[in-house]
Amino acid sequence: MPLSADQNSRLSQRGLRDLGDGIARPHYDRGGLARGIVHLGLGAFHRAHQALYTEAVVARGDLRWGIVGVSLRDPRVSEALAAQDHLYSVTERHGDDARTRVVGALCDALYAPRQLEQVIAAIANPATAIVTSTVTEKGYSQNPASADLDIDDVLVRHDIANPQTPRTTLGVLAAGIRRRSAGAPLTLVCCDNMASNGDTLRKLVVQYADLFDAKLARRIEAEIGCPNSMVDRIVPAATPVSLEWAAARLGLRDEAAIVCEPFTQWVIEDRFAGIRPAWEDAGALLTSDVRPYQAMKLRLLNGTHSALAYAGQMGGLETVSDAMAHPLVGGFARRLMLEDLRASVAAPSGYDVLAYCHELLRRFENPALAHRTQQIAMDGTQKVPVRWLPALRESLVAGVERPQLERALAIWLHYLAAGHSDNGAALVISDPGAEALAARLRRAANDTDAANAALAHSAVFGTGPWPPVFAGRLARHLSTLRQGGMTALLST
Ligand code: CS2
């Protein structure tokens, strides 16, 4: 603990010298940073993931890659960062081990609804070669049933009518690209947990642009790079407790402090329109095909995470490590990952998937991370179709039963319909798409109707039919859950 620093004063450029010796910090000239990257969605994940890869590149002397961060929905992070010279700390913790670094690569933090002109100008700036994004699955205005642009969305309609003053991610991107001069190559790197995330972003932004400026749409198709990427690091949202902990460690207040796990991975398709940071020097893997990595990570990590989240919520288990320590829930998560999900994954070449699974389970058990099951449970109607349903459908087509995955699905549906945990505590469900599905479940006359009504909800389950035997098993699970809760289902 640094003795000279005052825990009540704020992290700042000047305050860097007061930090304790054990805390890494930027030693390069921050004032000399060019603004080569714009990032949309300035949440904890970006700051603990892509920004750290960039920080390592900048620290090696390539000052072209300062980041202009943009918040699209909530001003709090950009305000907190502006008040501390855009510096923030990242502490990697596993058990009792902790390593802290203050990151300097962020040059600016804008709040789009208030500073839209600056955001558009930053994307249009010829020095900007990359726009990265972490705006969550629902931030791309995609219609889940068709996988195309959701043209009925009110914000999309607003942006099509007012392309100069957009509110959506796609609208902001298109407005910036529209203003860029020709001959300044730009690459969009989508870093959200979606299959073929780069291809998806390209399709959506082209569909959006086509609605008001066909020339712009053709230009995006021809000139903009959209590599797919797989991102991985467990980064829980900050809490008052984690901020206090960071302040005690730094000896300074850091209102944007992050506490995350040590593990980090980034696999990016090497398909850039122009220059890019040498992220491989910081450990990123640049490769020609990201899809096997994406499928492996979305199914094994995110798929198991979602199951832990819903079982955890039903069992009153606050964090992922609590859920892993619960004999029934932990055992269920292990079998789900090691048996059902692993069998559905084709390994990337040279990859030991079993070792990957064991490492994942160890990461989930990390007691130093308060990763709340409620956080992971958010937006299930966006996550489940990516994390569980492809594996389930492929297996059913092949005539293979996936008992753990089917139980996970039943627990999620029960969670949506019940609205309270097994011991009666009210659940906080944060998912704009949930109500439509929950209403179908609640209206059903019995469990068979409920299973059929859920599977017919195309926004989540797609338009292809599901086998009746599978619907029958799901109905039986729903009935067990209704009568005895999650514990009864996982004890069978
Ligand atoms: C989590 C992810 O909140 C969630 O849905 O499953 O944020 C997960 O922690 C990251 O994808 C890990 O890389």
Side-chain angles (χ1 to χ4, degrees):
M1 189 87 29
L3 295 177
S4 57
D6 168 4
Q7 224 175 285
N8 293 316
S9 59
R10 194 78 179 260
L11 176 63
S12 67
Q13 186 67 34
R14 280 189 62 207
L16 282 180
R17 57 172 187 229
D18 296 332
L19 290 171
D21 288 344
I23 305 214
R25 70 207 70 184
H27 291 294
Y28 53 87
D29 170 21
R30 290 186 75 218
L33 280 175
R35 297 164 174 229
I37 299 176
V38 172
H39 180 77
L40 305 181
L42 198 46
F45 186 75
H46 167 71
R47 285 179 286 128
H49 189 273
Q50 305 100 65
L52 277 187
Y53 285 83
T54 302
E55 176 76 1
V57 171
V58 167
R60 292 166 74 106
D62 187 351
L63 297 187
R64 288 174 296 176
W65 303 109
I67 303 170
V68 176
V70 179
S71 298
L72 293 157
R73 285 179 308 161
D74 187 333
R76 281 174 295 182
V77 176
S78 47
E79 284 167 5
L81 286 161
Q84 47 192 54
D85 298 329
H86 306 111
L87 292 165
Y88 64 93
S89 64
V90 177
T91 301
E92 300 172 358
R93 281 186 85 183
H94 195 108
D96 294 334
D97 294 336
R99 272 191 1 202
T100 302
R101 136 176 326 276
V102 170
V103 179
L106 195 67
C107 307
D108 211 346
L110 306 172
Y111 176 50
R114 271 205 297 263
Q115 292 161 298
L116 188 60
E117 177 49 36
Q118 277 165 268
V119 173
I120 294 173
I123 298 175
N125 179 358
T128 300
I130 313 273
V131 179
T132 46
S133 59
T134 50
V135 295
T136 79
E137 298 88 337
K138 66 172 182 276
Y140 295 95
S141 314
Q142 188 177 28
N143 176 325
S146 66
D148 287 324
L149 177 70
D150 187 355
I151 43 172
D152 295 326
D153 180 86
V154 273
L155 291 181
V156 171
R157 296 175 87 95
H158 167 275
D159 286 7
I160 294 164
N162 308 278
Q164 329 276 14
T165 53
R167 297 201 203 144
T168 65
T169 308
L170 301 180
V172 168
L173 278 170
I177 296 170
R178 203 180 194 194
R179 199 184 290 177
R180 274 179 87 86
S181 44
L186 182 72
T187 301
L188 311 179
V189 186
C190 174
C191 299
D192 278 292
N193 284 320
M194 307 182 300
S196 305
N197 51 5
D199 298 337
T200 303
L201 174 57
R202 168 195 295 281
K203 175 179 79 176
L204 295 172
V205 80
V206 167
Q207 287 180 345
Y208 168 78
D210 240 333
L211 293 171
F212 66 94
D213 183 344
K215 238 172 89 192
L216 174 65
R218 300 294 79 75
R219 210 181 122 200
I220 295 173
E221 274 176 334
E223 293 173 15
I224 304 292
C226 289
N228 293 303
S229 82
M230 181 273 249
V231 291
D232 188 9
R233 173 165 252 188
I234 293 176
V235 187
T239 61
V241 175
S242 71
L243 294 178
E244 265 325 305
W245 186 89
R249 188 169 168 83
L250 294 167
L252 291 167
R253 284 299 300 177
D254 172 5
E255 300 302 336
I258 291 166
V259 178
C260 65
E261 64 169 349
F263 182 93
T264 180
Q265 191 177 18
W266 196 7
V267 186
I268 317 165
E269 214 169 40
D270 204 353
R271 204 149 54 83
F272 285 71
I275 55 168
R276 64 166 175 81
W279 281 319
E280 64 274 33
D281 292 350
L285 176 66
L286 276 293
T287 171
S288 58
D289 190 3
V290 171
R291 281 168 307 179
Y293 291 94
Q294 269 180 338
M296 179 179 75
K297 190 259 172 174
L298 288 171
R299 293 184 185 195
L300 295 172
L301 189 159
N302 299 109
T304 311
H305 240 180
S306 288
L308 282 162
Y310 300 118
Q313 283 288 290
M314 292 317 286
L317 304 165
E318 205 185 323
T319 67
V320 171
S321 59
D322 294 343
M324 287 298 288
H326 185 280
L328 282 177
V329 177
F332 160 64
R334 283 184 185 83
R335 289 186 66 190
L336 171 71
M337 182 193 288
L338 293 168
E339 296 170 13
D340 287 15
L341 293 170
R342 184 158 70 97
S344 82
V345 159
S349 82
Y351 225 82
D352 180 345
V353 178
L354 186 59
Y356 177 78
C357 287
H358 286 301
E359 184 169 27
L360 284 181
L361 293 167
R362 205 181 58 86
R363 291 167 63 194
F364 291 170
E365 284 160 1
N366 185 348
L369 295 186
H371 198 190
R372 289 161 65 241
T373 51
Q374 194 186 319
Q375 183 187 345
I376 302 166
M378 278 167 55
D379 293 335
T381 55
Q382 299 274 338
K383 292 174 178 176
V384 164
V386 175
R387 299 173 178 203
W388 295 347
L389 299 186
L392 199 55
R393 226 188 236 291
E394 287 160 19
S395 305
L396 290 169
V397 167
V400 181
E401 216 175 303
R402 299 282 180 219
Q404 312 309 329
L405 199 46
E406 294 182 6
R407 293 207 280 181
L409 187 60
I411 294 172
W412 176 53
L413 296 176
H414 180 61
Y415 153 96
L416 291 177
H420 56 76
S421 73
D422 287 349
N423 51 25
L427 295 170
V428 179
I429 297 180
S430 167
D431 175 358
E435 194 36 47
L437 178 54
R440 278 175 178 252
L441 289 161
R442 285 194 217 107
R443 271 198 309 266
N446 52 47
D447 296 314
T448 305
D449 281 354
N452 287 323
L455 295 175
H457 186 59
S458 60
V460 171
F461 289 92
T463 46
W466 292 86
V469 281
F470 161 64
R473 290 194 295 268
L474 198 56
R476 277 196 297 284
H477 289 337
L478 289 176
S479 144
T480 309
L481 283 161
R482 213 168 25 74
Q483 288 163 37
M486 178 269 297
T487 328
L489 183 68
L490 297 189
S491 311
T492 53

